[in-house]
PDB file of all heavy atoms in Angstrom:
ATOM      1  N   GLU A 143      -8.355  45.246  49.156  1.00  0.00           N
ATOM      2  CA  GLU A 143      -6.842  45.240  49.067  1.00  0.00           C
ATOM      3  C   GLU A 143      -6.378  44.272  48.086  1.00  0.00           C
ATOM      4  O   GLU A 143      -5.403  44.549  47.269  1.00  0.00           O
ATOM      5  CB  GLU A 143      -6.376  44.938  50.517  1.00  0.00           C
ATOM      6  CG  GLU A 143      -4.744  44.775  50.520  1.00  0.00           C
ATOM      7  CD  GLU A 143      -4.199  44.250  51.803  1.00  0.00           C
ATOM      8  OE1 GLU A 143      -4.998  43.720  52.568  1.00  0.00           O
ATOM      9  OE2 GLU A 143      -2.939  44.196  51.852  1.00  0.00           O
ATOM     10  N   MET A 144      -6.960  43.065  47.903  1.00  0.00           N
ATOM     11  CA  MET A 144      -6.574  42.112  47.100  1.00  0.00           C
ATOM     12  C   MET A 144      -6.855  42.581  45.619  1.00  0.00           C
ATOM     13  O   MET A 144      -6.029  42.330  44.659  1.00  0.00           O
ATOM     14  CB  MET A 144      -7.182  40.830  47.355  1.00  0.00           C
ATOM     15  CG  MET A 144      -6.800  40.159  48.669  1.00  0.00           C
ATOM     16  SD  MET A 144      -5.033  39.627  48.765  1.00  0.00           S
ATOM     17  CE  MET A 144      -5.087  38.290  47.619  1.00  0.00           C
ATOM     18  N   PHE A 145      -7.951  43.142  45.419  1.00  0.00           N
ATOM     19  CA  PHE A 145      -8.342  43.657  44.020  1.00  0.00           C
ATOM     20  C   PHE A 145      -7.300  44.689  43.589  1.00  0.00           C
ATOM     21  O   PHE A 145      -6.952  44.965  42.502  1.00  0.00           O
ATOM     22  CB  PHE A 145      -9.682  44.217  43.978  1.00  0.00           C
ATOM     23  CG  PHE A 145     -10.777  43.212  43.813  1.00  0.00           C
ATOM     24  CD1 PHE A 145     -11.624  42.840  44.897  1.00  0.00           C
ATOM     25  CD2 PHE A 145     -10.952  42.433  42.684  1.00  0.00           C
ATOM     26  CE1 PHE A 145     -12.532  41.873  44.746  1.00  0.00           C
ATOM     27  CE2 PHE A 145     -11.827  41.419  42.519  1.00  0.00           C
ATOM     28  CZ  PHE A 145     -12.758  41.177  43.479  1.00  0.00           C
ATOM     29  N   SER A 146      -6.860  45.610  44.599  1.00  0.00           N
ATOM     30  CA  SER A 146      -5.871  46.568  44.284  1.00  0.00           C
ATOM     31  C   SER A 146      -4.559  46.026  43.992  1.00  0.00           C
ATOM     32  O   SER A 146      -3.861  46.412  43.053  1.00  0.00           O
ATOM     33  CB  SER A 146      -5.860  47.536  45.487  1.00  0.00           C
ATOM     34  OG  SER A 146      -4.765  48.565  45.325  1.00  0.00           O
ATOM     35  N   LEU A 147      -4.210  44.926  44.787  1.00  0.00           N
ATOM     36  CA  LEU A 147      -2.964  44.251  44.474  1.00  0.00           C
ATOM     37  C   LEU A 147      -2.927  43.622  43.111  1.00  0.00           C
ATOM     38  O   LEU A 147      -1.883  43.598  42.443  1.00  0.00           O
ATOM     39  CB  LEU A 147      -2.695  43.140  45.511  1.00  0.00           C
ATOM     40  CG  LEU A 147      -2.275  43.624  46.885  1.00  0.00           C
ATOM     41  CD1 LEU A 147      -2.235  42.443  47.900  1.00  0.00           C
ATOM     42  CD2 LEU A 147      -0.816  44.275  46.823  1.00  0.00           C
ATOM     43  N   TYR A 148      -4.203  43.048  42.704  1.00  0.00           N
ATOM     44  CA  TYR A 148      -4.205  42.522  41.370  1.00  0.00           C
ATOM     45  C   TYR A 148      -3.961  43.485  40.219  1.00  0.00           C
ATOM     46  O   TYR A 148      -3.319  43.154  39.254  1.00  0.00           O
ATOM     47  CB  TYR A 148      -5.631  41.902  41.299  1.00  0.00           C
ATOM     48  CG  TYR A 148      -5.911  41.340  39.800  1.00  0.00           C
ATOM     49  CD1 TYR A 148      -5.045  40.456  39.205  1.00  0.00           C
ATOM     50  CD2 TYR A 148      -7.029  41.748  39.080  1.00  0.00           C
ATOM     51  CE1 TYR A 148      -5.278  40.049  37.944  1.00  0.00           C
ATOM     52  CE2 TYR A 148      -7.327  41.265  37.846  1.00  0.00           C
ATOM     53  CZ  TYR A 148      -6.434  40.336  37.246  1.00  0.00           C
ATOM     54  OH  TYR A 148      -6.607  39.929  35.958  1.00  0.00           O
ATOM     55  N   GLU A 149      -4.482  44.720  40.491  1.00  0.00           N
ATOM     56  CA  GLU A 149      -4.136  45.750  39.449  1.00  0.00           C
ATOM     57  C   GLU A 149      -2.664  46.040  39.387  1.00  0.00           C
ATOM     58  O   GLU A 149      -2.039  46.336  38.393  1.00  0.00           O
ATOM     59  CB  GLU A 149      -4.903  47.090  39.786  1.00  0.00           C
ATOM     60  CG  GLU A 149      -6.481  46.810  39.720  1.00  0.00           C
ATOM     61  CD  GLU A 149      -6.829  46.482  38.225  1.00  0.00           C
ATOM     62  OE1 GLU A 149      -6.291  47.023  37.354  1.00  0.00           O
ATOM     63  OE2 GLU A 149      -7.731  45.603  38.100  1.00  0.00           O
ATOM     64  N   GLU A 150      -2.030  46.093  40.664  1.00  0.00           N
ATOM     65  CA  GLU A 150      -0.575  46.277  40.799  1.00  0.00           C
ATOM     66  C   GLU A 150       0.147  45.060  40.058  1.00  0.00           C
ATOM     67  O   GLU A 150       1.196  45.328  39.356  1.00  0.00           O
ATOM     68  CB  GLU A 150      -0.177  46.390  42.150  1.00  0.00           C
ATOM     69  CG  GLU A 150      -0.553  47.593  42.893  1.00  0.00           C
ATOM     70  CD  GLU A 150      -0.015  47.650  44.282  1.00  0.00           C
ATOM     71  OE1 GLU A 150       1.016  47.103  44.544  1.00  0.00           O
ATOM     72  OE2 GLU A 150      -0.591  48.353  45.166  1.00  0.00           O
ATOM     73  N   TYR A 151      -0.403  43.882  40.190  1.00  0.00           N
ATOM     74  CA  TYR A 151       0.384  42.811  39.635  1.00  0.00           C
ATOM     75  C   TYR A 151       0.415  42.878  38.041  1.00  0.00           C
ATOM     76  O   TYR A 151       1.393  42.502  37.527  1.00  0.00           O
ATOM     77  CB  TYR A 151      -0.311  41.453  39.990  1.00  0.00           C
ATOM     78  CG  TYR A 151       0.198  40.347  39.140  1.00  0.00           C
ATOM     79  CD1 TYR A 151       1.442  39.792  39.418  1.00  0.00           C
ATOM     80  CD2 TYR A 151      -0.517  39.823  38.076  1.00  0.00           C
ATOM     81  CE1 TYR A 151       1.981  38.793  38.626  1.00  0.00           C
ATOM     82  CE2 TYR A 151      -0.007  38.857  37.247  1.00  0.00           C
ATOM     83  CZ  TYR A 151       1.332  38.338  37.465  1.00  0.00           C
ATOM     84  OH  TYR A 151       1.803  37.434  36.684  1.00  0.00           O
ATOM     85  N   LYS A 152      -0.769  43.234  37.517  1.00  0.00           N
ATOM     86  CA  LYS A 152      -0.797  43.378  36.021  1.00  0.00           C
ATOM     87  C   LYS A 152       0.377  44.340  35.575  1.00  0.00           C
ATOM     88  O   LYS A 152       1.058  43.971  34.517  1.00  0.00           O
ATOM     89  CB  LYS A 152      -2.115  43.866  35.653  1.00  0.00           C
ATOM     90  CG  LYS A 152      -3.149  42.787  35.711  1.00  0.00           C
ATOM     91  CD  LYS A 152      -4.601  43.132  35.106  1.00  0.00           C
ATOM     92  CE  LYS A 152      -5.252  44.055  35.958  1.00  0.00           C
ATOM     93  NZ  LYS A 152      -6.626  44.327  35.428  1.00  0.00           N
ATOM     94  N   LYS A 153       0.617  45.427  36.312  1.00  0.00           N
ATOM     95  CA  LYS A 153       1.776  46.288  35.901  1.00  0.00           C
ATOM     96  C   LYS A 153       3.096  45.674  36.147  1.00  0.00           C
ATOM     97  O   LYS A 153       3.996  45.748  35.331  1.00  0.00           O
ATOM     98  CB  LYS A 153       1.549  47.573  36.766  1.00  0.00           C
ATOM     99  CG  LYS A 153       0.325  48.387  36.413  1.00  0.00           C
ATOM    100  CD  LYS A 153       0.258  49.584  37.374  1.00  0.00           C
ATOM    101  CE  LYS A 153      -1.010  50.390  37.211  1.00  0.00           C
ATOM    102  NZ  LYS A 153      -1.096  51.574  38.075  1.00  0.00           N
ATOM    103  N   TYR A 154       3.100  44.864  37.253  1.00  0.00           N
ATOM    104  CA  TYR A 154       4.304  44.243  37.622  1.00  0.00           C
ATOM    105  C   TYR A 154       4.710  43.132  36.563  1.00  0.00           C
ATOM    106  O   TYR A 154       5.875  43.027  36.172  1.00  0.00           O
ATOM    107  CB  TYR A 154       4.196  43.586  38.950  1.00  0.00           C
ATOM    108  CG  TYR A 154       5.277  42.637  39.465  1.00  0.00           C
ATOM    109  CD1 TYR A 154       6.459  43.274  39.987  1.00  0.00           C
ATOM    110  CD2 TYR A 154       5.271  41.339  39.452  1.00  0.00           C
ATOM    111  CE1 TYR A 154       7.541  42.435  40.293  1.00  0.00           C
ATOM    112  CE2 TYR A 154       6.269  40.522  39.862  1.00  0.00           C
ATOM    113  CZ  TYR A 154       7.451  41.057  40.305  1.00  0.00           C
ATOM    114  OH  TYR A 154       8.489  40.369  40.733  1.00  0.00           O
ATOM    115  N   GLU A 155       3.681  42.396  36.112  1.00  0.00           N
ATOM    116  CA  GLU A 155       4.001  41.391  35.051  1.00  0.00           C
ATOM    117  C   GLU A 155       4.446  42.025  33.832  1.00  0.00           C
ATOM    118  O   GLU A 155       5.502  41.524  33.114  1.00  0.00           O
ATOM    119  CB  GLU A 155       2.680  40.646  34.764  1.00  0.00           C
ATOM    120  CG  GLU A 155       2.913  39.472  33.827  1.00  0.00           C
ATOM    121  CD  GLU A 155       1.620  38.687  33.500  1.00  0.00           C
ATOM    122  OE1 GLU A 155       0.975  38.295  34.488  1.00  0.00           O
ATOM    123  OE2 GLU A 155       1.209  38.594  32.302  1.00  0.00           O
ATOM    124  N   GLN A 156       3.965  43.123  33.435  1.00  0.00           N
ATOM    125  CA  GLN A 156       4.480  43.856  32.161  1.00  0.00           C
ATOM    126  C   GLN A 156       5.926  44.290  32.371  1.00  0.00           C
ATOM    127  O   GLN A 156       6.763  44.287  31.502  1.00  0.00           O
ATOM    128  CB  GLN A 156       3.519  44.950  31.824  1.00  0.00           C
ATOM    129  CG  GLN A 156       2.253  44.472  31.336  1.00  0.00           C
ATOM    130  CD  GLN A 156       2.276  43.645  30.119  1.00  0.00           C
ATOM    131  OE1 GLN A 156       3.041  43.926  29.145  1.00  0.00           O
ATOM    132  NE2 GLN A 156       1.551  42.553  30.102  1.00  0.00           N
ATOM    133  N   GLN A 157       6.159  44.836  33.642  1.00  0.00           N
ATOM    134  CA  GLN A 157       7.586  45.174  33.857  1.00  0.00           C
ATOM    135  C   GLN A 157       8.532  44.060  33.868  1.00  0.00           C
ATOM    136  O   GLN A 157       9.615  44.286  33.301  1.00  0.00           O
ATOM    137  CB  GLN A 157       7.660  45.812  35.293  1.00  0.00           C
ATOM    138  CG  GLN A 157       6.825  47.177  35.447  1.00  0.00           C
ATOM    139  CD  GLN A 157       6.747  47.571  36.827  1.00  0.00           C
ATOM    140  OE1 GLN A 157       7.127  46.879  37.877  1.00  0.00           O
ATOM    141  NE2 GLN A 157       6.241  48.788  37.096  1.00  0.00           N
ATOM    142  N   GLN A 158       8.261  42.972  34.243  1.00  0.00           N
ATOM    143  CA  GLN A 158       9.146  41.828  34.286  1.00  0.00           C
ATOM    144  C   GLN A 158       9.333  41.289  32.909  1.00  0.00           C
ATOM    145  O   GLN A 158      10.450  40.917  32.595  1.00  0.00           O
ATOM    146  CB  GLN A 158       8.507  40.647  35.104  1.00  0.00           C
ATOM    147  CG  GLN A 158       8.445  40.940  36.673  1.00  0.00           C
ATOM    148  CD  GLN A 158       9.927  41.284  37.140  1.00  0.00           C
ATOM    149  OE1 GLN A 158      10.879  40.648  36.933  1.00  0.00           O
ATOM    150  NE2 GLN A 158       9.944  42.338  37.848  1.00  0.00           N
ATOM    151  N   LEU A 159       8.225  41.250  32.129  1.00  0.00           N
ATOM    152  CA  LEU A 159       8.429  40.731  30.719  1.00  0.00           C
ATOM    153  C   LEU A 159       9.332  41.819  29.906  1.00  0.00           C
ATOM    154  O   LEU A 159      10.146  41.350  29.112  1.00  0.00           O
ATOM    155  CB  LEU A 159       6.939  40.740  29.931  1.00  0.00           C
ATOM    156  CG  LEU A 159       6.079  39.819  30.459  1.00  0.00           C
ATOM    157  CD1 LEU A 159       4.711  39.863  29.825  1.00  0.00           C
ATOM    158  CD2 LEU A 159       6.612  38.320  30.387  1.00  0.00           C
ATOM    159  N   ALA A 160       9.230  43.079  30.228  1.00  0.00           N
ATOM    160  CA  ALA A 160      10.074  44.069  29.567  1.00  0.00           C
ATOM    161  C   ALA A 160      11.548  43.860  30.071  1.00  0.00           C
ATOM    162  O   ALA A 160      12.466  43.901  29.213  1.00  0.00           O
ATOM    163  CB  ALA A 160       9.752  45.507  29.975  1.00  0.00           C
ATOM    164  N   LEU A 161      11.803  43.475  31.292  1.00  0.00           N
ATOM    165  CA  LEU A 161      13.130  43.238  31.807  1.00  0.00           C
ATOM    166  C   LEU A 161      13.707  42.112  31.163  1.00  0.00           C
ATOM    167  O   LEU A 161      14.954  41.983  30.788  1.00  0.00           O
ATOM    168  CB  LEU A 161      13.046  43.006  33.348  1.00  0.00           C
ATOM    169  CG  LEU A 161      12.903  44.277  34.215  1.00  0.00           C
ATOM    170  CD1 LEU A 161      12.659  43.799  35.712  1.00  0.00           C
ATOM    171  CD2 LEU A 161      14.081  45.262  34.010  1.00  0.00           C
ATOM    172  N   ILE A 162      12.997  41.013  31.002  1.00  0.00           N
ATOM    173  CA  ILE A 162      13.547  39.757  30.270  1.00  0.00           C
ATOM    174  C   ILE A 162      13.805  40.096  28.912  1.00  0.00           C
ATOM    175  O   ILE A 162      14.978  39.677  28.456  1.00  0.00           O
ATOM    176  CB  ILE A 162      12.454  38.649  30.274  1.00  0.00           C
ATOM    177  CG1 ILE A 162      12.014  38.238  31.741  1.00  0.00           C
ATOM    178  CG2 ILE A 162      12.886  37.432  29.526  1.00  0.00           C
ATOM    179  CD1 ILE A 162      10.933  37.185  31.786  1.00  0.00           C
ATOM    180  N   SER A 163      13.055  40.803  28.178  1.00  0.00           N
ATOM    181  CA  SER A 163      13.293  41.110  26.762  1.00  0.00           C
ATOM    182  C   SER A 163      14.560  41.947  26.601  1.00  0.00           C
ATOM    183  O   SER A 163      15.255  41.950  25.610  1.00  0.00           O
ATOM    184  CB  SER A 163      12.078  41.860  26.219  1.00  0.00           C
ATOM    185  OG  SER A 163      10.933  40.958  26.161  1.00  0.00           O
ATOM    186  N   ALA A 164      14.826  42.886  27.593  1.00  0.00           N
ATOM    187  CA  ALA A 164      16.022  43.768  27.556  1.00  0.00           C
ATOM    188  C   ALA A 164      17.228  43.180  28.157  1.00  0.00           C
ATOM    189  O   ALA A 164      18.328  43.888  27.976  1.00  0.00           O
ATOM    190  CB  ALA A 164      15.569  45.087  28.309  1.00  0.00           C
ATOM    191  N   ASP A 165      17.111  42.188  28.872  1.00  0.00           N
ATOM    192  CA  ASP A 165      18.355  41.605  29.675  1.00  0.00           C
ATOM    193  C   ASP A 165      19.371  41.069  28.637  1.00  0.00           C
ATOM    194  O   ASP A 165      18.968  40.325  27.795  1.00  0.00           O
ATOM    195  CB  ASP A 165      17.860  40.522  30.608  1.00  0.00           C
ATOM    196  CG  ASP A 165      18.841  40.452  31.790  1.00  0.00           C
ATOM    197  OD1 ASP A 165      20.033  40.688  31.597  1.00  0.00           O
ATOM    198  OD2 ASP A 165      18.367  39.860  32.813  1.00  0.00           O
ATOM    199  N   VAL A 166      20.598  41.485  28.873  1.00  0.00           N
ATOM    200  CA  VAL A 166      21.718  40.972  28.016  1.00  0.00           C
ATOM    201  C   VAL A 166      22.784  40.317  28.900  1.00  0.00           C
ATOM    202  O   VAL A 166      23.776  39.788  28.463  1.00  0.00           O
ATOM    203  CB  VAL A 166      22.327  42.215  27.129  1.00  0.00           C
ATOM    204  CG1 VAL A 166      21.359  42.624  26.190  1.00  0.00           C
ATOM    205  CG2 VAL A 166      22.811  43.287  28.038  1.00  0.00           C
ATOM    206  N   GLU A 167      22.566  40.248  30.202  1.00  0.00           N
ATOM    207  CA  GLU A 167      23.578  39.735  31.134  1.00  0.00           C
ATOM    208  C   GLU A 167      23.035  38.494  31.902  1.00  0.00           C
ATOM    209  O   GLU A 167      23.832  37.474  32.071  1.00  0.00           O
ATOM    210  CB  GLU A 167      23.949  40.849  32.147  1.00  0.00           C
ATOM    211  CG  GLU A 167      25.104  40.411  33.018  1.00  0.00           C
ATOM    212  CD  GLU A 167      25.472  41.534  33.959  1.00  0.00           C
ATOM    213  OE1 GLU A 167      25.021  42.615  33.802  1.00  0.00           O
ATOM    214  OE2 GLU A 167      26.396  41.299  34.850  1.00  0.00           O
ATOM    215  N   PHE A 168      21.779  38.578  32.432  1.00  0.00           N
ATOM    216  CA  PHE A 168      21.280  37.420  33.151  1.00  0.00           C
ATOM    217  C   PHE A 168      22.155  37.096  34.323  1.00  0.00           C
ATOM    218  O   PHE A 168      22.762  35.924  34.370  1.00  0.00           O
ATOM    219  CB  PHE A 168      20.910  36.146  32.324  1.00  0.00           C
ATOM    220  CG  PHE A 168      19.875  36.540  31.328  1.00  0.00           C
ATOM    221  CD1 PHE A 168      20.226  36.893  29.932  1.00  0.00           C
ATOM    222  CD2 PHE A 168      18.501  36.521  31.587  1.00  0.00           C
ATOM    223  CE1 PHE A 168      19.257  37.079  28.963  1.00  0.00           C
ATOM    224  CE2 PHE A 168      17.571  36.731  30.596  1.00  0.00           C
ATOM    225  CZ  PHE A 168      17.973  37.012  29.333  1.00  0.00           C
ATOM    226  N   ALA A 169      22.426  38.066  35.144  1.00  0.00           N
ATOM    227  CA  ALA A 169      23.325  37.849  36.314  1.00  0.00           C
ATOM    228  C   ALA A 169      22.852  36.891  37.315  1.00  0.00           C
ATOM    229  O   ALA A 169      21.659  36.709  37.469  1.00  0.00           O
ATOM    230  CB  ALA A 169      23.591  39.228  36.891  1.00  0.00           C
ATOM    231  N   CYS A 170      23.797  36.309  38.110  1.00  0.00           N
ATOM    232  CA  CYS A 170      23.430  35.558  39.167  1.00  0.00           C
ATOM    233  C   CYS A 170      22.808  36.424  40.335  1.00  0.00           C
ATOM    234  O   CYS A 170      23.554  37.118  40.992  1.00  0.00           O
ATOM    235  CB  CYS A 170      24.634  34.736  39.789  1.00  0.00           C
ATOM    236  SG  CYS A 170      25.505  33.693  38.600  1.00  0.00           S
ATOM    237  N   SER A 171      21.511  36.407  40.480  1.00  0.00           N
ATOM    238  CA  SER A 171      20.852  37.328  41.501  1.00  0.00           C
ATOM    239  C   SER A 171      19.656  36.612  42.034  1.00  0.00           C
ATOM    240  O   SER A 171      18.472  37.018  41.777  1.00  0.00           O
ATOM    241  CB  SER A 171      20.539  38.621  40.730  1.00  0.00           C
ATOM    242  OG  SER A 171      20.001  39.524  41.674  1.00  0.00           O
ATOM    243  N   PRO A 172      19.840  35.609  42.931  1.00  0.00           N
ATOM    244  CA  PRO A 172      18.748  34.983  43.561  1.00  0.00           C
ATOM    245  C   PRO A 172      17.902  35.996  44.425  1.00  0.00           C
ATOM    246  O   PRO A 172      18.401  36.707  45.157  1.00  0.00           O
ATOM    247  CB  PRO A 172      19.339  33.808  44.357  1.00  0.00           C
ATOM    248  CG  PRO A 172      20.769  34.349  44.640  1.00  0.00           C
ATOM    249  CD  PRO A 172      21.098  35.111  43.460  1.00  0.00           C
ATOM    250  N   ARG A 173      16.612  35.767  44.258  1.00  0.00           N
ATOM    251  CA  ARG A 173      15.645  36.670  45.047  1.00  0.00           C
ATOM    252  C   ARG A 173      15.830  36.316  46.517  1.00  0.00           C
ATOM    253  O   ARG A 173      15.762  37.364  47.334  1.00  0.00           O
ATOM    254  CB  ARG A 173      14.260  36.272  44.613  1.00  0.00           C
ATOM    255  CG  ARG A 173      13.114  37.122  45.401  1.00  0.00           C
ATOM    256  CD  ARG A 173      11.705  36.779  44.832  1.00  0.00           C
ATOM    257  NE  ARG A 173      11.506  35.296  44.673  1.00  0.00           N
ATOM    258  CZ  ARG A 173      11.087  34.482  45.556  1.00  0.00           C
ATOM    259  NH1 ARG A 173      11.017  34.984  46.837  1.00  0.00           N
ATOM    260  NH2 ARG A 173      10.955  33.210  45.226  1.00  0.00           N
ATOM    261  N   GLU A 174      16.067  35.208  46.941  1.00  0.00           N
ATOM    262  CA  GLU A 174      16.310  34.932  48.428  1.00  0.00           C
ATOM    263  C   GLU A 174      16.948  33.560  48.513  1.00  0.00           C
ATOM    264  O   GLU A 174      17.153  32.854  47.528  1.00  0.00           O
ATOM    265  CB  GLU A 174      14.908  34.806  49.131  1.00  0.00           C
ATOM    266  CG  GLU A 174      13.933  33.700  48.518  1.00  0.00           C
ATOM    267  CD  GLU A 174      12.652  33.739  49.350  1.00  0.00           C
ATOM    268  OE1 GLU A 174      12.581  34.244  50.519  1.00  0.00           O
ATOM    269  OE2 GLU A 174      11.587  33.025  48.870  1.00  0.00           O
ATOM    270  N   VAL A 175      17.411  33.215  49.785  1.00  0.00           N
ATOM    271  CA  VAL A 175      18.130  31.977  49.904  1.00  0.00           C
ATOM    272  C   VAL A 175      17.439  30.685  49.439  1.00  0.00           C
ATOM    273  O   VAL A 175      17.978  29.724  48.905  1.00  0.00           O
ATOM    274  CB  VAL A 175      18.541  31.799  51.410  1.00  0.00           C
ATOM    275  CG1 VAL A 175      19.236  30.536  51.731  1.00  0.00           C
ATOM    276  CG2 VAL A 175      19.473  32.920  51.833  1.00  0.00           C
ATOM    277  N   LYS A 176      16.073  30.699  49.709  1.00  0.00           N
ATOM    278  CA  LYS A 176      15.353  29.541  49.256  1.00  0.00           C
ATOM    279  C   LYS A 176      15.427  29.138  47.883  1.00  0.00           C
ATOM    280  O   LYS A 176      15.285  28.075  47.359  1.00  0.00           O
ATOM    281  CB  LYS A 176      13.901  29.696  49.696  1.00  0.00           C
ATOM    282  CG  LYS A 176      13.554  29.570  51.146  1.00  0.00           C
ATOM    283  CD  LYS A 176      12.092  29.685  51.388  1.00  0.00           C
ATOM    284  CE  LYS A 176      11.741  29.583  52.863  1.00  0.00           C
ATOM    285  NZ  LYS A 176      10.276  29.628  53.114  1.00  0.00           N
TER     286      LYS A 176
END
C-alpha cells in the first residue's frame, strides 16, 4: 500500500508544481485550521 501511495505521490507532486506555475491569484485557502 505504501509503495502504491509513493507512486501516487510522484504524480501529486507534479500536479502541485504545475498549479504553482499556473497560479495568478494565490488566494487565501488554508488546507485546515491548524
Side-chain angles (χ1 to χ4, degrees):
E143 179 193 3
M144 294 296 288
F145 279 110
S146 177
L147 284 171
Y148 174 52
E149 294 301 318
E150 289 182 26
Y151 169 77
K152 288 188 281 188
K153 297 175 184 177
Y154 176 76
E155 183 178 306
Q156 290 303 313
Q157 291 171 355
Q158 294 302 313
L159 294 177
L161 287 173
I162 297 174
S163 298
D165 204 335
V166 294
E167 185 178 357
F168 295 98
C170 300
S171 180
R173 173 176 51 82
E174 60 178 346
V175 172
K176 284 184 179 180

